[in-house]
């Protein structure tokens, strides 16, 4: 198996801001890799470099065997790119949007019509093909954009935050479509997200980026298995406690990686269910009662918390 994407020591600055700093990873042919991290971590900039939309200030990358620094035109003919923001014309139908995209890639009229019909079926839009895109739901519009991104049968597709703004049902439906596309077309896919469940669902491998730098790379299962201990303890307290009080209780219970958000407490534990009563007793003695408590198996958020000291689920947007 060869690599569809190789990034080597990529760097990018915007004025005095470092957007990408020494980023290296690869994507094998037919593999789905997810760049995971909070907004502003450098994910989108990395994808834009790989898609030849932004030139790197340092390092190099190869996509479908060509260098982003010297062979941008060759790369663009062999990739699909779906940006965060809509690239459809809402005043045209779904079928018309696809045919225009096909023509832009040089497909002749008969081939474009055939490919359009095939893709509308693939992404579940055949029944809505002749409706104006302005009448589509967010999930339908996103599926159309993905179809437009693969109309020319690319070897590699880049998806930048493909499900941002979609409701849970639409996100799940889109995951199914993406998995089917990768399975049937053997496309190599690189997607960015800050949704942990999305990465767990779709990715063969996860590359976690924080502040423009890769901090860990591996399969979701392997990354979670590498964590020390047996999981996390999650406690919702009846009122907000001081962090120093909670820290002392957590240390005495032998737990680590404290994440306290208001009255919600999450810690890593090496002893599973044995740590829960110790924590509850310690908190009660400190004057804080629990409204609910549970022990959870390791998640990608635990991985992120372990390596960065903060929870990806609660970092929120950054610039």
């Amino acid at each position: 198996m060869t690599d569809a994407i190789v990034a080597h020591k990529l760097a990018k600055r915007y004025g005095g801001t470092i957007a990408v700093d020494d980023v290296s990873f690869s994507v094998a042919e037919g593999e789905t890799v997810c760049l995971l991290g909070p907004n502003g971590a450098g994910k989108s900039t990395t994808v834009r470099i790989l898609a030849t939309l932004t030139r790197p200030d340092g390092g190099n990358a190869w996509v479908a065997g060509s260098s982003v620094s010297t062979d941008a035109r060759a790369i663009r003919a062999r990739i699909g790119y779906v940006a965060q923001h809509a690239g459809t014309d809402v005043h045209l139908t779904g079928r018309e949007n696809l045919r225009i995209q096909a023509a832009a890639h040089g497909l002749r009229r008969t081939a474009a019509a055939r490919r359009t019909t095939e893709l509308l079926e693939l992404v579940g839009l055949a029944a809505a093909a002749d409706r104006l895109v302005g009448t589509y739901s967010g999930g339908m519009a996103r599926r159309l954009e993905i179809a437009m991104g693969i109309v020319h049968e690319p070897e590699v597709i880049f998806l930048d935050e493909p499900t941002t703004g979609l409701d849970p049902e639409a996100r799940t439906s889109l995951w199914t479509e993406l998995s089917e596309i990768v399975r049937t077309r053997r496309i190599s896919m690189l997607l960015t997200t800050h949704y942990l469940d999305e990465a767990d669902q779709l990715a063969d491998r996860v590359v976690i980026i924080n502040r423009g730098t890769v901090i860990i790379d591996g399969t979701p299962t392997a990354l979670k298995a590498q964590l020390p201990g047996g999981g996390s303890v999650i406690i919702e307290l009846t009122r907000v406690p001081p962090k120093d009080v909670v820290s002392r209780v957590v240390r005495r219970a032998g737990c680590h990686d404290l994440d306290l958000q208001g009255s919600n407490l999450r810690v890593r534990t090496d002893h599973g269910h044995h740590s829960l009563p110790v924590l509850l007793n310690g908190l009660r003695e400190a004057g804080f009662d629990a409204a609910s408590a549970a022990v959870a198996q390791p998640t990608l958020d635990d991985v992120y918390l372990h390596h960065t000291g903060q929870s990806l689920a609660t970092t929120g947007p950054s610039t």
Side-chain angles (χ1 to χ4, degrees):
M1 183 178 290
T2 58
D3 289 326
I5 300 172
V6 177
H8 180 68
K9 296 184 176 298
L10 289 178
K12 183 68 180 180
R13 288 176 175 266
Y14 293 103
T17 301
I18 299 174
V20 174
D21 185 19
D22 198 26
V23 165
S24 298
F25 65 91
S26 63
V27 178
E29 289 183 354
E31 187 178 34
T32 296
V33 172
C34 176
L35 296 183
L36 182 65
N39 291 335
K43 308 185 304 297
S44 294
T45 300
T46 299
V47 168
R48 287 180 61 82
I49 290 172
L50 295 172
T52 73
L53 299 175
T54 298
R55 291 184 64 85
D57 294 326
N60 199 2
W62 294 263
V63 178
S66 298
S67 165
V68 300
S69 298
T70 59
D71 301 312
R73 179 174 294 183
I75 290 172
R76 289 171 189 163
R78 300 170 72 179
I79 66 170
Y81 175 70
V82 180
Q84 287 188 39
H85 305 294
T88 54
D89 188 329
V90 297
H91 301 295
L92 299 177
T93 66
R95 189 185 307 277
E96 288 167 340
N97 270 278
L98 268 170
R99 285 188 172 179
I100 289 171
Q101 187 76 353
H105 283 286
L107 275 71
R108 295 186 179 276
R109 180 170 297 186
T110 301
R114 184 173 59 250
R115 180 69 171 152
T116 293
T117 299
E118 175 189 9
L119 287 175
L120 288 166
E121 288 282 353
L122 181 65
V123 299
L125 291 176
D130 297 309
R131 280 171 46 190
L132 294 179
V133 173
T135 69
Y136 283 12
S137 68
M140 293 169 68
R142 205 59 172 145
R143 295 205 303 275
L144 177 62
E145 289 164 13
I146 290 167
M148 291 171 65
I150 62 172
V151 71
H152 57 304
E153 301 190 72
E155 299 170 37
V156 180
I157 184 167
F158 298 99
L159 302 174
D160 196 3
E161 304 281 1
T163 63
T164 295
L166 301 186
D167 61 51
E169 183 178 353
R171 288 176 61 211
T172 301
S173 175
L174 189 57
W175 293 346
T176 301
E177 305 293 347
L178 288 173
S179 297
E180 181 67 10
I181 287 169
V182 171
R183 185 185 68 80
T184 59
R185 308 291 160 160
R186 292 297 294 168
I187 293 174
S188 304
M189 184 164 68
L190 180 67
L191 68 118
T192 75
T193 187
H194 58 271
Y195 292 124
L196 299 157
D197 50 353
E198 188 159 277
D200 230 342
Q201 177 81 13
L202 292 174
D204 298 311
R205 264 184 33 252
V206 170
V207 178
I208 298 180
I209 293 183
N210 191 40
R211 297 178 181 175
T213 300
V214 172
I215 58 174
I216 196 165
D217 178 348
T219 68
T221 299
L223 294 180
K224 289 180 283 189
Q226 290 169 10
L227 292 179
S232 298
V233 173
I234 303 166
I235 300 173
E236 181 186 359
L237 299 171
T238 56
R239 59 194 178 94
V240 177
K243 188 168 184 177
D244 60 331
V245 171
V246 177
S247 296
R248 287 195 295 271
V249 173
V250 168
R251 284 196 300 271
R252 286 200 297 269
C255 299
H256 46 88
D257 292 343
L258 166 64
D259 179 37
L260 180 64
Q261 303 292 328
S263 60
N264 296 306
L265 164 68
R266 185 185 186 107
V267 295
R268 290 282 305 158
T269 173
D270 297 336
H271 307 293
H273 288 84
H274 298 292
S275 297
L276 181 56
V278 179
L279 282 167
L280 291 175
N281 288 336
L283 290 166
R284 190 177 301 113
E285 290 173 0
F288 296 93
D289 293 321
S292 64
V295 176
Q297 292 304 305
T299 67
L300 285 176
D301 196 41
D302 292 319
V303 174
Y304 190 83
L305 176 62
H306 179 73
H307 289 281
T308 69
Q310 58 183 338
S311 169
L312 178 58
T314 55
T315 50
S318 58
T319 57

